[in-house]
Amino acid sequence: MEKILAPIKNEKTSRKVYPLRVIQHDQISVRKATMDDLEQIYKVACSVGKNRKDSYNGFLIDDYASDPEYYKAMFRQAISLLDHFYVAERGKEVLGFLMAYTRRQWLGKNPNWLDEIVWHPLFDRKKTENFILVDKTAIRADLTSQGIGSRLYMRLVRDARSRGVHDIFGETVVDPIPNFASLAFRRKQHYTLAGVHYEEYGGRIVTDLVYHKSV
């Protein structure tokens, strides 16, 4: 059964809070993404990857609606090449997705990544010898905070362990716009801070916190 929550107003911030669909966990399944999912994956990305970012609801850094052809081609390539690209669905409806790279795939795309990070003094660099990096996690904007992201991560962890991989990394933007929703999710999933990464994006410097989790 699906419930619709009535709209409410946040009295402290005056932000408009939109109605959310509430979906039962037993309605959700997670599987590898296929080319048939492309359009729905793109729609999910557009719902949280907009020009205007919402720190509290979470966001993807890119504005996906700005160039449909480019971003669909990016997702098409990712579906074809990545070992870990998952969708959460209800029936045939895609509710969210997770894209992750193996160490080889990530460093092939970002060869200087390990050297660019300012590592935490107490972080054990041996944990970078074999890892999976979560690049993008997106849940449809009207379905956030319902455990869908956790279901996607459970599948990733299961597959990582089956391949003998026990270290997972992820990055969260904190400047110029902090992604508070992502930070809360890192805490919920028991990630620990591993370092700080500065990168150029759109003509400005973006600051990411690099998180690590042993699985």
Side-chain angles (χ1 to χ4, degrees):
M1 179 180 294
E2 179 177 296
K3 300 178 181 179
I4 305 296
L5 300 183
I8 59 175
K9 181 178 180 181
N10 187 319
E11 299 295 341
K12 293 183 179 180
T13 64
S14 298
R15 293 172 60 249
K16 186 176 181 181
V17 180
Y18 292 93
L20 296 177
R21 294 183 180 181
V22 179
I23 294 179
Q24 304 301 319
H25 277 205
D26 59 6
Q27 298 178 323
I28 303 171
S29 60
V30 176
R31 59 170 173 79
K32 293 286 186 70
T34 71
M35 290 299 175
D36 291 339
D37 302 316
L38 178 62
E39 290 297 330
Q40 291 198 73
I41 288 171
Y42 175 69
K43 288 180 180 178
V44 170
C46 286
S47 76
V48 290
K50 302 178 179 179
N51 183 46
R52 183 180 179 277
K53 309 302 179 185
D54 188 328
S55 295
Y56 294 92
N57 287 338
F59 58 83
L60 293 176
I61 193 68
D62 294 304
D63 178 9
Y64 287 85
S66 66
D67 194 340
E69 184 175 345
Y70 170 80
Y71 287 109
K72 287 182 183 181
M74 181 197 73
F75 284 127
R76 189 178 296 110
Q77 183 182 48
I79 292 170
S80 176
L81 298 178
L82 294 186
D83 297 340
H84 303 285
F85 194 151
Y86 308 98
V87 294
E89 66 176 357
R90 182 189 57 173
K92 295 185 179 180
E93 180 184 23
V94 173
L95 312 177
F97 66 86
L98 182 152
M99 286 174 54
Y101 291 73
T102 64
R103 184 184 194 276
R104 177 185 59 80
Q105 291 167 339
W106 185 247
L107 296 183
K109 180 181 178 182
N110 305 276
N112 299 318
W113 186 75
L114 291 171
D115 296 324
E116 292 171 351
I117 296 172
V118 181
W119 295 99
H120 191 286
L122 299 180
F123 180 72
D124 183 1
R125 289 286 300 273
K126 291 182 179 179
K127 296 182 182 297
T128 64
E129 292 176 358
N130 188 20
F131 63 83
I132 290 172
L133 185 137
V134 179
D135 183 38
K136 293 178 176 59
T137 306
I139 309 302
R140 212 172 68 192
D142 62 332
L143 296 175
T144 58
S145 302
Q146 296 194 49
I148 298 172
S150 294
R151 293 289 295 272
L152 287 161
Y153 268 81
M154 287 171 60
R155 174 60 187 270
L156 173 65
V157 169
R158 188 190 80 185
D159 287 358
R161 287 172 175 166
S162 71
R163 291 171 175 243
V165 181
H166 299 285
D167 295 287
I168 296 178
F169 288 91
E171 295 190 359
T172 295
V173 177
V174 292
D175 185 77
I177 305 171
N179 192 336
F180 295 136
S182 179
L183 289 171
F185 187 77
R186 300 291 182 208
R187 182 176 181 180
K188 178 182 177 181
Q189 292 293 321
H190 305 293
Y191 279 79
T192 58
L193 183 63
V196 181
H197 186 207
Y198 301 98
E199 59 181 334
E200 185 177 351
Y201 173 83
R204 58 185 177 180
I205 299 299
V206 173
T207 304
D208 298 325
L209 297 184
V210 180
Y211 284 92
H212 168 265
K213 178 179 180 178
S214 295
V215 298

